[in-house]
Amino acid sequence: MTASLLEHLIDALRVLPGVGQKSAQRMAYHLLERQRDGGRRLADALAEAMERIRHCSRCRDFSETEVCPTCASSARDAQLLCVVETPADRLAIEQATGFRGLYFVLQGRLSPLDGIGPRELGLDLLAQRLEEGGVRELIVATNPTVEGEATAHYLAQLARARGVAPSRLAHGVPLGGELEYVDRGTLSHAFGSRSEIP
Amino acid sequence: MTASLLEHLIDALRVLPGVGQKSAQRMAYHLLERQRDGGRRLADALAEAMERIRHCSRCRDFSETEVCPTCASSARDAQLLCVVETPADRLAIEQATGFRGLYFVLQGRLSPLDGIGPRELGLDLLAQRLEEGGVRELIVATNPTVEGEATAHYLAQLARARGVAPSRLAHGVPLGGELEYVDRGTLSHAFGSRSEIP
């Protein structure tokens, strides 16, 4: 028996998403055999991240500081506020687009059945921010799922009631996709929203 | 920007086998959002395992102690010695079979081109152990690959030269397999090694 420390490590690795018993075993052996230093670095990075990463008080994204670098930056356009569900969505937009405005991270979506309402998503914070003025456009970038759309609807109302123009991402045929394989709803929407070729 | 601690964590997670940029991101966000405690436990388990797990001086398997619990156990049959390539192989045999003898873990296989010879596999240690007497049968459980077979051949000679009988795992059709999908080499071997139905 390679006993408890190893078993303990294999068990602990299963906290990672998509990692079962077999993968955890493989990871543990890999680290022990070939990546002791990498394993130590990972332990340090994990410990520090779990301890020190919290939420930005302005946008609710993960941050090491009270206010995250994006919110604190004077180079960003504070008139544009983009609302996303998760930090991963925010990162995807930041990496894919040239957006230079600010973000607001809901850390979820409206889901009354799971007990997730406006308060859990920090919408009071968002409302207060819109009331302060300064925001011209609220770009709603929630996911195109049922709950995401409901959240988008709620956010649009919240913005309009405070004199801020809401907008949302365009829906349509994905670039590089083949019409034959695009789902009906998307195709129907893209067809209905067709635009003139200039 | 969610800045350096998070980026650092994502980078560090890529040391795990089969984890690329996207999976590492997903893991980091998952831990931060939902598994802070699990993340802390993982950090501790990792740090301790990387620091304290070393190799058993008898069987070369991973162990927290100078001699691993299996080698130290008086309940195991020291006349039977099973040689495997990796700790994972040893674990697989331990879990699948009722084997009550001892193990010897090569931590690799003979591979001259990669500079892995008898010395790197601790075969001097194994030879010395066989010379001490007490071992009746050397069960060679290397993988049925070209390098594994070459290693098995070498081990068999090493055992015979010291008056120990070498044996190896049976090759044949896997249980639950369909003949149609069994590779030719295996099928040919299984056919040639057919046994009488008692």
Side-chain angles (χ1 to χ4, degrees), chain A residues 112-149:
Chain A
L113 289 180
D114 300 321
I116 298 177
R119 176 187 297 274
E120 282 70 27
L121 301 182
L123 295 191
D124 42 348
L125 195 68
L126 179 63
Q128 187 191 326
R129 183 141 162 202
L130 296 182
E131 276 157 19
E132 281 168 12
V135 177
R136 179 165 50 83
E137 180 182 347
L138 189 77
I139 304 167
V140 179
T142 53
N143 287 319
T145 57
V146 174
E147 290 175 340
E149 290 290 332

mmCIF file of all heavy atoms in Angstrom, chain A residues 112-149:
data_model
loop_
_atom_site.group_PDB
_atom_site.id
_atom_site.type_symbol
_atom_site.label_atom_id
_atom_site.label_comp_id
_atom_site.label_asym_id
_atom_site.label_seq_id
_atom_site.Cartn_x
_atom_site.Cartn_y
_atom_site.Cartn_z
ATOM 1 N N PRO A 112 -35.019 31.673 -9.976
ATOM 2 C CA PRO A 112 -35.826 31.684 -8.748
ATOM 3 C C PRO A 112 -35.924 30.313 -8.084
ATOM 4 O O PRO A 112 -35.895 30.197 -6.863
ATOM 5 C CB PRO A 112 -37.200 32.163 -9.246
ATOM 6 C CG PRO A 112 -36.918 32.882 -10.524
ATOM 7 C CD PRO A 112 -35.755 32.186 -11.138
ATOM 8 N N LEU A 113 -36.015 29.270 -8.906
ATOM 9 C CA LEU A 113 -36.163 27.925 -8.336
ATOM 10 C C LEU A 113 -34.946 27.523 -7.507
ATOM 11 O O LEU A 113 -35.041 26.737 -6.575
ATOM 12 C CB LEU A 113 -36.375 26.888 -9.444
ATOM 13 C CG LEU A 113 -37.744 26.968 -10.134
ATOM 14 C CD1 LEU A 113 -37.848 25.916 -11.211
ATOM 15 C CD2 LEU A 113 -38.867 26.807 -9.113
ATOM 16 N N ASP A 114 -33.757 28.052 -7.869
ATOM 17 C CA ASP A 114 -32.550 27.750 -7.104
ATOM 18 C C ASP A 114 -32.296 28.813 -6.040
ATOM 19 O O ASP A 114 -31.232 28.839 -5.430
ATOM 20 C CB ASP A 114 -31.330 27.673 -8.038
ATOM 21 C CG ASP A 114 -31.492 26.601 -9.094
ATOM 22 O OD1 ASP A 114 -32.028 25.530 -8.750
ATOM 23 O OD2 ASP A 114 -31.098 26.842 -10.244
ATOM 24 N N GLY A 115 -33.268 29.695 -5.859
ATOM 25 C CA GLY A 115 -33.111 30.731 -4.842
ATOM 26 C C GLY A 115 -32.150 31.834 -5.264
ATOM 27 O O GLY A 115 -31.597 32.541 -4.422
ATOM 28 N N ILE A 116 -31.920 31.975 -6.573
ATOM 29 C CA ILE A 116 -31.023 33.038 -7.033
ATOM 30 C C ILE A 116 -31.855 34.176 -7.608
ATOM 31 O O ILE A 116 -32.430 34.074 -8.704
ATOM 32 C CB ILE A 116 -30.023 32.503 -8.080
ATOM 33 C CG1 ILE A 116 -29.159 31.412 -7.440
ATOM 34 C CG2 ILE A 116 -29.129 33.630 -8.604
ATOM 35 C CD1 ILE A 116 -28.184 30.759 -8.359
ATOM 36 N N GLY A 117 -31.974 35.241 -6.852
ATOM 37 C CA GLY A 117 -32.747 36.407 -7.256
ATOM 38 C C GLY A 117 -31.832 37.592 -7.488
ATOM 39 O O GLY A 117 -30.611 37.456 -7.463
ATOM 40 N N PRO A 118 -32.424 38.784 -7.702
ATOM 41 C CA PRO A 118 -31.641 40.002 -7.970
ATOM 42 C C PRO A 118 -30.601 40.285 -6.895
ATOM 43 O O PRO A 118 -29.492 40.721 -7.203
ATOM 44 C CB PRO A 118 -32.705 41.095 -7.997
ATOM 45 C CG PRO A 118 -33.959 40.388 -8.391
ATOM 46 C CD PRO A 118 -33.870 39.028 -7.774
ATOM 47 N N ARG A 119 -30.928 39.996 -5.631
ATOM 48 C CA ARG A 119 -29.984 40.293 -4.560
ATOM 49 C C ARG A 119 -28.720 39.458 -4.691
ATOM 50 O O ARG A 119 -27.606 39.970 -4.550
ATOM 51 C CB ARG A 119 -30.651 40.020 -3.196
ATOM 52 C CG ARG A 119 -29.710 40.198 -2.013
ATOM 53 C CD ARG A 119 -30.390 39.754 -0.720
ATOM 54 N NE ARG A 119 -31.562 40.582 -0.434
ATOM 55 C CZ ARG A 119 -31.518 41.750 0.228
ATOM 56 N NH1 ARG A 119 -30.356 42.207 0.633
ATOM 57 N NH2 ARG A 119 -32.607 42.436 0.459
ATOM 58 N N GLU A 120 -28.883 38.156 -5.007
ATOM 59 C CA GLU A 120 -27.736 37.269 -5.116
ATOM 60 C C GLU A 120 -26.812 37.679 -6.270
ATOM 61 O O GLU A 120 -25.624 37.399 -6.257
ATOM 62 C CB GLU A 120 -28.197 35.815 -5.329
ATOM 63 C CG GLU A 120 -28.669 35.120 -4.058
ATOM 64 C CD GLU A 120 -29.989 35.678 -3.544
ATOM 65 O OE1 GLU A 120 -30.783 36.189 -4.361
ATOM 66 O OE2 GLU A 120 -30.209 35.622 -2.312
ATOM 67 N N LEU A 121 -27.388 38.321 -7.283
ATOM 68 C CA LEU A 121 -26.574 38.721 -8.433
ATOM 69 C C LEU A 121 -26.008 40.132 -8.261
ATOM 70 O O LEU A 121 -25.402 40.681 -9.181
ATOM 71 C CB LEU A 121 -27.409 38.657 -9.717
ATOM 72 C CG LEU A 121 -28.008 37.275 -10.039
ATOM 73 C CD1 LEU A 121 -28.759 37.319 -11.358
ATOM 74 C CD2 LEU A 121 -26.928 36.199 -10.074
ATOM 75 N N GLY A 122 -26.248 40.728 -7.111
ATOM 76 C CA GLY A 122 -25.700 42.061 -6.853
ATOM 77 C C GLY A 122 -26.371 43.144 -7.685
ATOM 78 O O GLY A 122 -25.771 44.183 -7.978
ATOM 79 N N LEU A 123 -27.655 42.911 -8.056
ATOM 80 C CA LEU A 123 -28.306 43.892 -8.926
ATOM 81 C C LEU A 123 -28.601 45.213 -8.210
ATOM 82 O O LEU A 123 -28.780 46.238 -8.864
ATOM 83 C CB LEU A 123 -29.577 43.302 -9.536
ATOM 84 C CG LEU A 123 -29.317 42.120 -10.480
ATOM 85 C CD1 LEU A 123 -30.559 41.752 -11.262
ATOM 86 C CD2 LEU A 123 -28.176 42.440 -11.437
ATOM 87 N N ASP A 124 -28.631 45.175 -6.863
ATOM 88 C CA ASP A 124 -28.776 46.436 -6.127
ATOM 89 C C ASP A 124 -27.545 47.316 -6.354
ATOM 90 O O ASP A 124 -27.640 48.525 -6.547
ATOM 91 C CB ASP A 124 -29.002 46.181 -4.629
ATOM 92 C CG ASP A 124 -28.100 45.062 -4.096
ATOM 93 O OD1 ASP A 124 -27.489 44.345 -4.918
ATOM 94 O OD2 ASP A 124 -28.007 44.906 -2.868
ATOM 95 N N LEU A 125 -26.384 46.655 -6.375
ATOM 96 C CA LEU A 125 -25.119 47.349 -6.632
ATOM 97 C C LEU A 125 -25.124 47.936 -8.042
ATOM 98 O O LEU A 125 -24.717 49.094 -8.264
ATOM 99 C CB LEU A 125 -23.970 46.331 -6.519
ATOM 100 C CG LEU A 125 -22.535 46.840 -6.408
ATOM 101 C CD1 LEU A 125 -22.330 47.541 -5.073
ATOM 102 C CD2 LEU A 125 -21.553 45.683 -6.536
ATOM 103 N N LEU A 126 -25.629 47.131 -8.994
ATOM 104 C CA LEU A 126 -25.681 47.584 -10.391
ATOM 105 C C LEU A 126 -26.647 48.764 -10.540
ATOM 106 O O LEU A 126 -26.327 49.776 -11.187
ATOM 107 C CB LEU A 126 -26.116 46.424 -11.290
ATOM 108 C CG LEU A 126 -26.246 46.739 -12.789
ATOM 109 C CD1 LEU A 126 -24.887 47.132 -13.365
ATOM 110 C CD2 LEU A 126 -26.821 45.554 -13.550
ATOM 111 N N ALA A 127 -27.833 48.652 -9.895
ATOM 112 C CA ALA A 127 -28.838 49.716 -9.978
ATOM 113 C C ALA A 127 -28.269 51.021 -9.434
ATOM 114 O O ALA A 127 -28.393 52.094 -10.040
ATOM 115 C CB ALA A 127 -30.089 49.310 -9.199
ATOM 116 N N GLN A 128 -27.616 50.899 -8.295
ATOM 117 C CA GLN A 128 -27.015 52.073 -7.646
ATOM 118 C C GLN A 128 -25.995 52.731 -8.576
ATOM 119 O O GLN A 128 -25.953 53.958 -8.713
ATOM 120 C CB GLN A 128 -26.329 51.586 -6.372
ATOM 121 C CG GLN A 128 -25.787 52.672 -5.471
ATOM 122 C CD GLN A 128 -24.904 52.063 -4.384
ATOM 123 O OE1 GLN A 128 -25.179 50.954 -3.915
ATOM 124 N NE2 GLN A 128 -23.862 52.765 -4.007
ATOM 125 N N ARG A 129 -25.224 51.877 -9.255
ATOM 126 C CA ARG A 129 -24.191 52.383 -10.155
ATOM 127 C C ARG A 129 -24.808 53.120 -11.339
ATOM 128 O O ARG A 129 -24.303 54.154 -11.775
ATOM 129 C CB ARG A 129 -23.368 51.188 -10.650
ATOM 130 C CG ARG A 129 -22.241 51.578 -11.531
ATOM 131 C CD ARG A 129 -21.051 50.719 -11.234
ATOM 132 N NE ARG A 129 -20.088 50.748 -12.308
ATOM 133 C CZ ARG A 129 -19.174 49.811 -12.517
ATOM 134 N NH1 ARG A 129 -19.128 48.761 -11.706
ATOM 135 N NH2 ARG A 129 -18.319 49.921 -13.494
ATOM 136 N N LEU A 130 -25.935 52.582 -11.846
ATOM 137 C CA LEU A 130 -26.604 53.239 -12.976
ATOM 138 C C LEU A 130 -27.210 54.563 -12.523
ATOM 139 O O LEU A 130 -27.242 55.540 -13.273
ATOM 140 C CB LEU A 130 -27.688 52.326 -13.557
ATOM 141 C CG LEU A 130 -27.174 51.011 -14.182
ATOM 142 C CD1 LEU A 130 -28.329 50.221 -14.768
ATOM 143 C CD2 LEU A 130 -26.113 51.285 -15.242
ATOM 144 N N GLU A 131 -27.695 54.591 -11.276
ATOM 145 C CA GLU A 131 -28.312 55.829 -10.766
ATOM 146 C C GLU A 131 -27.278 56.932 -10.563
ATOM 147 O O GLU A 131 -27.604 58.115 -10.665
ATOM 148 C CB GLU A 131 -29.030 55.542 -9.436
ATOM 149 C CG GLU A 131 -30.435 55.003 -9.656
ATOM 150 C CD GLU A 131 -30.957 54.218 -8.468
ATOM 151 O OE1 GLU A 131 -30.408 54.378 -7.365
ATOM 152 O OE2 GLU A 131 -31.904 53.436 -8.661
ATOM 153 N N GLU A 132 -26.070 56.541 -10.250
ATOM 154 C CA GLU A 132 -24.999 57.525 -10.073
ATOM 155 C C GLU A 132 -24.770 58.327 -11.351
ATOM 156 O O GLU A 132 -24.127 59.386 -11.326
ATOM 157 C CB GLU A 132 -23.680 56.815 -9.721
ATOM 158 C CG GLU A 132 -23.566 56.378 -8.282
ATOM 159 C CD GLU A 132 -22.389 55.427 -8.070
ATOM 160 O OE1 GLU A 132 -21.549 55.307 -8.990
ATOM 161 O OE2 GLU A 132 -22.323 54.796 -7.005
ATOM 162 N N GLY A 133 -25.274 57.803 -12.488
ATOM 163 C CA GLY A 133 -25.040 58.460 -13.772
ATOM 164 C C GLY A 133 -23.670 58.105 -14.300
ATOM 165 O O GLY A 133 -22.895 57.418 -13.647
ATOM 166 N N GLY A 134 -23.390 58.541 -15.507
ATOM 167 C CA GLY A 134 -22.075 58.273 -16.079
ATOM 168 C C GLY A 134 -22.101 57.109 -17.042
ATOM 169 O O GLY A 134 -21.302 57.039 -17.969
ATOM 170 N N VAL A 135 -23.025 56.148 -16.828
ATOM 171 C CA VAL A 135 -23.117 55.021 -17.756
ATOM 172 C C VAL A 135 -24.121 55.382 -18.857
ATOM 173 O O VAL A 135 -25.240 55.788 -18.581
ATOM 174 C CB VAL A 135 -23.571 53.733 -17.037
ATOM 175 C CG1 VAL A 135 -23.733 52.600 -18.042
ATOM 176 C CG2 VAL A 135 -22.567 53.349 -15.963
ATOM 177 N N ARG A 136 -23.684 55.225 -20.109
ATOM 178 C CA ARG A 136 -24.521 55.600 -21.247
ATOM 179 C C ARG A 136 -25.217 54.369 -21.827
ATOM 180 O O ARG A 136 -26.377 54.416 -22.200
ATOM 181 C CB ARG A 136 -23.622 56.250 -22.315
ATOM 182 C CG ARG A 136 -24.304 56.696 -23.584
ATOM 183 C CD ARG A 136 -23.391 57.652 -24.374
ATOM 184 N NE ARG A 136 -22.039 57.105 -24.534
ATOM 185 C CZ ARG A 136 -21.687 56.220 -25.504
ATOM 186 N NH1 ARG A 136 -22.577 55.797 -26.369
ATOM 187 N NH2 ARG A 136 -20.449 55.770 -25.582
ATOM 188 N N GLU A 137 -24.467 53.260 -21.882
ATOM 189 C CA GLU A 137 -25.023 52.055 -22.509
ATOM 190 C C GLU A 137 -24.725 50.834 -21.640
ATOM 191 O O GLU A 137 -23.594 50.645 -21.183
ATOM 192 C CB GLU A 137 -24.389 51.862 -23.901
ATOM 193 C CG GLU A 137 -24.916 50.635 -24.627
ATOM 194 C CD GLU A 137 -24.229 50.433 -25.991
ATOM 195 O OE1 GLU A 137 -23.543 51.369 -26.447
ATOM 196 O OE2 GLU A 137 -24.381 49.339 -26.557
ATOM 197 N N LEU A 138 -25.773 50.020 -21.408
ATOM 198 C CA LEU A 138 -25.587 48.773 -20.668
ATOM 199 C C LEU A 138 -25.627 47.628 -21.670
ATOM 200 O O LEU A 138 -26.677 47.315 -22.238
ATOM 201 C CB LEU A 138 -26.691 48.603 -19.620
ATOM 202 C CG LEU A 138 -26.472 47.442 -18.656
ATOM 203 C CD1 LEU A 138 -25.437 47.811 -17.608
ATOM 204 C CD2 LEU A 138 -27.776 47.027 -17.970
ATOM 205 N N ILE A 139 -24.460 47.016 -21.923
ATOM 206 C CA ILE A 139 -24.381 45.915 -22.882
ATOM 207 C C ILE A 139 -24.654 44.609 -22.141
ATOM 208 O O ILE A 139 -23.866 44.190 -21.296
ATOM 209 C CB ILE A 139 -22.991 45.866 -23.539
ATOM 210 C CG1 ILE A 139 -22.685 47.210 -24.200
ATOM 211 C CG2 ILE A 139 -22.896 44.726 -24.539
ATOM 212 C CD1 ILE A 139 -21.239 47.390 -24.599
ATOM 213 N N VAL A 140 -25.797 44.001 -22.435
ATOM 214 C CA VAL A 140 -26.195 42.790 -21.720
ATOM 215 C C VAL A 140 -25.653 41.574 -22.467
ATOM 216 O O VAL A 140 -26.111 41.252 -23.560
ATOM 217 C CB VAL A 140 -27.722 42.719 -21.593
ATOM 218 C CG1 VAL A 140 -28.125 41.439 -20.880
ATOM 219 C CG2 VAL A 140 -28.233 43.945 -20.844
ATOM 220 N N ALA A 141 -24.663 40.907 -21.871
ATOM 221 C CA ALA A 141 -24.030 39.764 -22.540
ATOM 222 C C ALA A 141 -24.248 38.489 -21.745
ATOM 223 O O ALA A 141 -23.323 37.715 -21.523
ATOM 224 C CB ALA A 141 -22.552 40.045 -22.762
ATOM 225 N N THR A 142 -25.481 38.284 -21.300
ATOM 226 C CA THR A 142 -25.798 37.017 -20.631
ATOM 227 C C THR A 142 -25.874 35.928 -21.696
ATOM 228 O O THR A 142 -25.942 36.215 -22.882
ATOM 229 C CB THR A 142 -27.148 37.110 -19.895
ATOM 230 O OG1 THR A 142 -28.135 37.569 -20.825
ATOM 231 C CG2 THR A 142 -27.060 38.081 -18.735
ATOM 232 N N ASN A 143 -25.866 34.664 -21.263
ATOM 233 C CA ASN A 143 -25.901 33.567 -22.225
ATOM 234 C C ASN A 143 -27.277 33.448 -22.870
ATOM 235 O O ASN A 143 -28.293 33.733 -22.238
ATOM 236 C CB ASN A 143 -25.568 32.248 -21.524
ATOM 237 C CG ASN A 143 -24.099 32.161 -21.191
ATOM 238 O OD1 ASN A 143 -23.251 32.547 -21.994
ATOM 239 N ND2 ASN A 143 -23.793 31.686 -20.004
ATOM 240 N N PRO A 144 -27.315 33.023 -24.144
ATOM 241 C CA PRO A 144 -28.603 32.878 -24.836
ATOM 242 C C PRO A 144 -29.336 31.607 -24.416
ATOM 243 O O PRO A 144 -29.744 30.819 -25.246
ATOM 244 C CB PRO A 144 -28.198 32.855 -26.312
ATOM 245 C CG PRO A 144 -26.804 32.337 -26.315
ATOM 246 C CD PRO A 144 -26.181 32.765 -25.019
ATOM 247 N N THR A 145 -29.497 31.423 -23.099
ATOM 248 C CA THR A 145 -30.282 30.309 -22.576
ATOM 249 C C THR A 145 -31.580 30.887 -22.018
ATOM 250 O O THR A 145 -31.739 32.107 -21.957
ATOM 251 C CB THR A 145 -29.532 29.623 -21.423
ATOM 252 O OG1 THR A 145 -29.271 30.622 -20.422
ATOM 253 C CG2 THR A 145 -28.206 29.047 -21.886
ATOM 254 N N VAL A 146 -32.500 30.031 -21.601
ATOM 255 C CA VAL A 146 -33.772 30.535 -21.074
ATOM 256 C C VAL A 146 -33.522 31.447 -19.881
ATOM 257 O O VAL A 146 -34.028 32.575 -19.822
ATOM 258 C CB VAL A 146 -34.697 29.357 -20.669
ATOM 259 C CG1 VAL A 146 -35.938 29.882 -19.995
ATOM 260 C CG2 VAL A 146 -35.052 28.533 -21.891
ATOM 261 N N GLU A 147 -32.718 30.991 -18.930
ATOM 262 C CA GLU A 147 -32.458 31.798 -17.741
ATOM 263 C C GLU A 147 -31.649 33.048 -18.071
ATOM 264 O O GLU A 147 -31.877 34.119 -17.505
ATOM 265 C CB GLU A 147 -31.719 30.970 -16.691
ATOM 266 C CG GLU A 147 -32.606 29.893 -16.083
ATOM 267 C CD GLU A 147 -31.847 28.990 -15.115
ATOM 268 O OE1 GLU A 147 -30.607 28.957 -15.198
ATOM 269 O OE2 GLU A 147 -32.507 28.330 -14.292
ATOM 270 N N GLY A 148 -30.714 32.907 -19.010
ATOM 271 C CA GLY A 148 -29.923 34.057 -19.424
ATOM 272 C C GLY A 148 -30.785 35.122 -20.076
ATOM 273 O O GLY A 148 -30.621 36.320 -19.816
ATOM 274 N N GLU A 149 -31.742 34.684 -20.896
ATOM 275 C CA GLU A 149 -32.636 35.629 -21.573
ATOM 276 C C GLU A 149 -33.536 36.328 -20.561
ATOM 277 O O GLU A 149 -33.798 37.534 -20.661
ATOM 278 C CB GLU A 149 -33.486 34.895 -22.624
ATOM 279 C CG GLU A 149 -32.701 34.404 -23.837
ATOM 280 C CD GLU A 149 -32.214 35.541 -24.741
ATOM 281 O OE1 GLU A 149 -32.860 36.605 -24.767
ATOM 282 O OE2 GLU A 149 -31.165 35.372 -25.384
#
